[in-house]
Amino acid sequence: MNKKVLITGGAGFIGSHLADELLEKGYEVRVLDNLCEQVHGKNCNRPAFLNPEVELIVGDVRDPKKVKEALKDIDAVYHYAAMVGVGQSMYEIKEYTDVNNVGTAVLLEALSKNPVEKLVVASSMSIYGEGLYKDAEGNIKAGLERKLDQLKRGDWEIYDAKGNVLTPYPTPETKTPSLSSVYALSKYDQERMCLLIGKAYNIPTVALRFFNVFGTRQSLSNPYTGVLAIFASRLLNDNPVLIFEDGNQMRDFVHVSDIAQASRLAMETGAAGEVFNVGSGNAYTINEIAGKLSEILNKEYIVPEISGKYRVGDIRHCFADISKVKTILGYEPKVSLAGGLIELAEWLEGQTAEDKVSEASNELAVRGLTV
Ligand code: UD1
């Protein structure tokens, strides 16, 4: 008989792509998702992109009854339900803690009574805080942070003790976490809680630390979503993209189908009690991302707005060392940034985006969360 897999948050961006990947490989897929308005819009309908073969249970991961129902006859669980905005987490503190931390606790209590063969939890690169850096002599530096007064002066980089700018360096799983937002804290909590309850109840558990995921289906009307979807929403409405700091901060953009690939491998291989980075292994600046997207959408005439402001909770640079996930899970990223952007542009042609970015920026500004 086919294995039956539950994806919490499976009607969303990453979960729905994972559902496609698993269905294609012959698994049965059930999704528990609350179809929350911020992501799915006012009507909270089943999204058209969700594979028709997915069995959808509409419900909240904090609701023990729904979770119990969703776990019936399930062999493996992906816990991908979460609130995902770094900036928003700095003022919706209770909601983020409730959905992410308490939601995980409810799921784990249910799993402790009905263990499954595998649990995979979506963790995040944001738990690292700043990535690793290298000094001029080639020494690796960790645990560095920017000071608020430096950021207020518009001085964005990370320095060594002698005042030299450090060069960012790929970050492996061994880097000590440094939590700089409520979101990051909640992701670390989800990761640790799953790993320790997994160990206690003999549920083989893997945490995947996703880097900056992009691709089709990322909500275009959610102003707290990832930067590429936000930029797409701005450009589709002929508005300039808003860039924090100077736009030279670097991230690792990984295509959602590669995230789906790594997720499937995490279930199919024997790995347990482990954390893995899942990125592309490449780094781009936010300015480069903005430029490439404008070009592909033929919106180069819209000049980006560089705010020169710091979004509280943000880090300067972080990109993945993916050697562990390649070696142990056999993961190999397949979609380049260029290829992924072409696909994204084709999908965007059929989409409308409600641009709520100005309101969201205001929410941060009035609370002093952009400085
Ligand atoms: C993102 C994800 C987070 C995930 C993490 C993993 C979202 C909302 N956040 O966080 O869930 O765990 O990746 O790496 O999907 N920026 C702008 N202008 C904007 C929006 C963002 O300049 O309008 C900048 C930010 O200041 C930041 C960079 O773009 O420097 C990336 O921001 P964002 O897409 O929010 O990603 P992360 O904070 O890295």
Side-chain angles (χ1 to χ4, degrees), residues 13-14 82-88 96 122-127 146 181 183-184 187 209-213 218 222-231 234 241-254 278 285-287 289 305 307 309-318 357 361:
F13 165 48
I14 297 178
M83 294 192 72
V84 299
V86 170
Q88 191 181 30
Y96 270 72
S123 182
S124 165
M125 141 281 205
S126 64
I127 69 158
R146 300 178 292 175
S181 66
Y183 169 74
K187 277 284 147 187
R209 294 177 176 168
F210 298 149
F211 280 64
N212 292 64
V213 189
Q218 199 163 17
N222 176 4
Y224 304 98
T225 187
V227 66
L228 260 167
I230 292 177
F231 284 179
R234 294 291 289 172
V241 301
L242 302 173
I243 294 181
F244 292 115
E245 305 183 17
D246 60 355
N248 289 324
Q249 61 270 38
M250 282 199 261
R251 292 290 186 280
D252 181 329
F253 288 89
V254 53
V278 190
T285 68
I286 297 304
N287 283 334
I289 292 297
E305 198 177 307
S307 76
K309 298 246 181 215
Y310 160 69
R311 186 178 70 174
V312 174
D314 267 350
I315 51 105
R316 182 62 173 168
H317 306 296
C318 190
V357 171
S361 300

Side-chain angles (χ1 to χ4, degrees), residues 273-331:
E274 298 273 0
V275 297
F276 296 96
N277 283 344
V278 190
S280 69
N282 299 314
Y284 292 91
T285 68
I286 297 304
N287 283 334
E288 284 172 319
I289 292 297
K292 285 177 195 295
L293 188 68
S294 307
E295 192 184 323
I296 216 152
L297 295 177
N298 293 319
K299 300 273 184 179
E300 282 163 298
Y301 58 91
I302 309 176
V303 181
E305 198 177 307
I306 301 197
S307 76
K309 298 246 181 215
Y310 160 69
R311 186 178 70 174
V312 174
D314 267 350
I315 51 105
R316 182 62 173 168
H317 306 296
C318 190
F319 47 92
D321 177 333
I322 52 172
S323 33
K324 183 178 175 187
V325 67
K326 280 175 142 183
T327 311
I328 300 183
L329 297 189
Y331 164 77

Side-chain angles (χ1 to χ4, degrees), residues 145-180:
E145 276 177 20
R146 300 178 292 175
K147 304 263 178 314
L148 199 58
D149 57 338
Q150 138 186 21
L151 295 163
K152 281 185 177 159
R153 287 196 309 271
D155 182 359
W156 310 118
E157 293 299 343
I158 296 272
Y159 296 91
D160 66 9
K162 293 178 208 145
N164 301 312
V165 176
L166 294 170
T167 310
Y169 190 77
T171 299
E173 292 82 352
T174 46
K175 184 190 178 270
T176 306
S178 171
L179 308 164
S180 66

Side-chain angles (χ1 to χ4, degrees), residues 69-85:
E69 181 192 337
L71 281 174
K72 195 168 180 304
D73 303 324
I74 287 292
D75 300 301
V77 173
Y78 287 93
H79 182 34
Y80 283 16
M83 294 192 72
V84 299

